[in-house]
Amino acid sequence: MLNTENGALSTQIASPIRVSLYDQLTDRQKEKFHYLLPTIGDVDSTAKLVSLIKPRGTNSWPNVLGKIDQLVTASPNEMQYNNALYEQFQINQRYTFNEIIEIVSEVRRELHLAPYLNSLKASCESDFNRLFIVQNDYDVVVDGDKTKKLFLGVVPVFALRIEE
């Protein structure tokens, strides 16, 4: 903005324009945003969620919709279990599969839920993945002229909390 008061020419910096995450979404992402907004209820959270959806894998559109559907239709006991799990996991903190098994089994024990007897890793991982958008965490190891990705764990980057 130019100011010519008193014949002097000076510039003033206009206040920065806040570009919302919504504005950065593609047209296709905006369709998903508007589809999810009534369920999620918060504009910023919905935009962040949509920005984390991937073309395939655990965080794909069909999988995220399935997770949300499970959370929306959860029974009161399932909601209590989900809320207890939310409290045990921190966003942006890495967890190994062994840590996830330990946390899930502890929560199940505290809530007097039946223990998982078979497929422990798969069952606990499923409970964890149902509640969060996650990213795998890797370390790159260089061995001579070969580069390998070493899996370190999973990081919950967004909690799929559905407010009642």
Side-chain angles (χ1 to χ4, degrees):
M1 175 185 312
L2 296 177
N3 182 358
T4 57
E5 188 175 313
N6 298 328
L9 186 61
S10 66
T11 60
Q12 294 177 341
I13 298 174
S15 60
I17 298 172
R18 181 175 179 258
V19 177
S20 73
L21 187 53
Y22 176 82
D23 294 330
Q24 297 174 29
L25 298 176
T26 66
D27 289 343
R28 191 163 178 108
Q29 287 175 314
K30 286 179 181 175
E31 291 174 7
K32 293 173 183 173
F33 170 90
H34 290 287
Y35 188 88
L36 292 175
L37 184 59
T39 304
I40 304 297
D42 176 71
V43 171
D44 291 336
S45 295
T46 305
K48 180 166 174 74
L49 171 58
V50 169
S51 73
L52 294 169
I53 293 174
K54 302 296 180 199
R56 58 187 176 284
T58 304
N59 300 329
S60 69
W61 176 243
N63 287 338
V64 169
L65 286 179
K67 293 178 189 186
I68 290 171
D69 185 55
Q70 285 180 351
L71 295 170
V72 167
T73 60
S75 71
N77 288 341
E78 290 169 326
M79 284 190 260
Q80 180 185 19
Y81 175 56
N82 292 343
N83 288 333
L85 287 176
Y86 283 127
E87 290 181 20
Q88 295 303 311
F89 292 102
Q90 302 300 314
I91 297 297
N92 296 322
Q93 180 176 324
R94 180 179 59 222
Y95 295 93
T96 65
F97 291 125
N98 290 338
E99 290 170 325
I100 292 170
I101 292 169
E102 291 169 8
I103 292 169
V104 169
S105 68
E106 181 181 2
V107 169
R108 293 185 69 78
R109 193 170 22 263
E110 287 175 359
L111 294 177
H112 306 287
L113 297 174
Y116 289 128
L117 301 176
N118 300 308
S119 306
L120 299 176
K121 178 180 178 274
S123 297
C124 293
E125 186 180 351
S126 175
D127 288 356
F128 174 80
N129 284 332
R130 182 181 65 249
L131 303 178
F132 300 100
I133 299 296
V134 299
Q135 293 178 346
N136 292 335
D137 190 21
Y138 296 95
D139 193 14
V140 177
V141 178
V142 178
D143 183 18
D145 60 346
K146 293 183 181 180
T147 303
K148 298 178 185 176
K149 287 171 75 174
L150 176 66
F151 180 75
L152 299 174
V154 293
V155 179
V157 294
F158 185 88
L160 291 168
R161 279 189 184 253
I162 306 298
E163 299 304 322
E164 299 162 28

